[in-house]
Amino acid sequence: MRPLMILALLLSSPVTALAAEPAPIRLHEIQVIGTHNSYHIAPDAVAAGLIRLGSPAQADGLEYTHPPLSEQFNSGIRQIELDLYRDPEGGLYANPICIQTAANQKAEVAPFDPQGMLKKPGTKVLHSPDFDVRTTNYTLLNALAEIRVWSEKHPRHAPLFVLLELKSESFLPLKKPLDWSAADMADLDKEILTALPRDKLLTPDDVRGKFGTLRESIVGGGWPTLDAARGKIVLLFDNEGALRDTYVAREKSLRGLLMFATVAEDHPAAAWFKINDPIKEFDRIQRLVKAGFLIRTRADANTTAARKNDATQRDKAFASGAQLISTDFPAANPRFSTYSVQFAPGVVVRTNPLSRFVDRTVSGSTDKRNATDEDCEKLMK
């Protein structure tokens, strides 16, 4: 066949197969809804009364209750937060003053720790010792076990982001919480691995890959694809300040560690940032999202937005492009208003408004995005 005829055939043939396939969507190009203090159960009447004596505003801010973690995942939540207290010998938080007060007053309140889990050694999950103590998961191991069971039943789920905040302070505790040292944090890693096998986790080592630092990986290659991360659990070290510095000092690029830390923008371990105010820091959030970093922000703080039915902060959080949007109200509390934080009906994970239909250059090549919410995750039946 003559060259001119071959060229004519090529030009007249469909070119669809020759066009570049749209690049798969990556973790920083999605948005999920999460819960703040995901284990929290509102204080009973006696506990609320004690808290109100010290701070009426704080008592009002604690009037929210989350269902068990597995129920939250069933409803579409993909990011949770757990507050952790050291209790290596057990029993430190087993007899809080609010429960003692209820017994002395012969007040009828819901049972507290009926299985005696707080008496056993191990990291505990609660909001504030002695006063705001009710929780759907008394121990970290119990919470992680629930996460693992749900995950294994839904192996194609978008990754679950788990913020872990190490607590060593509380408002007016009769027993001061224990401090966290570097050795205690290493013990925490070991405790986590007794409940979650390493292959269930997406860790800094997994994301760093061939790059020298985690930050270089994020800027130069980006987070893993959503499909590659399905069924995984991502642990985020929620603390800043001294506790964060202690954690990162173990290895500045988090080599061998289980959790990603929120650090300075130019730090070798930079991969995600906790930026709780999407109104004041809207421009910063957008800049970091466009650079490839993960951001956790809050759609609301305490019960203020729900009481006023004010969606201003929620809408800013959505528009900011922050990937993890945390709330106390994934469903409306009719006692307050109709305020809630949700995507379109049935949508669990949606494409990020800053990434949708946008070309992004990574490592010298252009990734073309044309994803829809259905490509991310719909509510599982």
Side-chain angles (χ1 to χ4, degrees), residues 200-254:
K200 284 296 293 180
L201 300 175
L202 179 69
T203 71
D205 287 344
D206 298 326
V207 174
R208 186 184 307 101
K210 64 182 180 181
F211 292 88
T213 69
L214 196 52
R215 189 185 191 284
E216 290 173 359
S217 173
I218 296 302
V219 174
W223 286 84
T225 65
L226 174 60
D227 281 345
R230 289 190 183 278
K232 298 288 187 177
I233 296 160
V234 185
L235 302 179
L236 305 177
F237 192 86
D238 193 37
N239 298 82
E240 298 175 288
L243 282 172
R244 183 269 320 280
D245 293 345
T246 299
Y247 183 77
V248 174
R250 296 166 61 195
E251 213 299 321
K252 66 178 181 179
S253 197
L254 307 182

Side-chain angles (χ1 to χ4, degrees), residues 29-63:
E29 297 171 327
I30 65 174
Q31 275 189 330
V32 305
I33 292 173
T35 49
H36 165 247
N37 294 342
S38 309
Y39 55 86
H40 190 261
I41 297 175
D44 59 53
V46 173
L50 292 173
I51 297 169
R52 194 169 294 280
L53 288 174
S55 174
Q58 195 162 44
D60 289 342
L62 297 174
E63 292 184 9

Side-chain angles (χ1 to χ4, degrees), residues 44 46-47 50-51 92-105 112 128-133 171-175:
D44 59 53
V46 173
L50 292 173
I51 297 169
L92 187 59
Y93 309 107
N95 193 26
I97 188 64
C98 62
I99 300 301
Q100 295 180 44
T101 302
N104 292 337
Q105 295 178 356
F112 177 71
S128 179
D130 279 318
F131 298 99
D132 192 18
V133 298
F171 54 90
L172 300 175
L174 297 187
K175 294 182 179 178

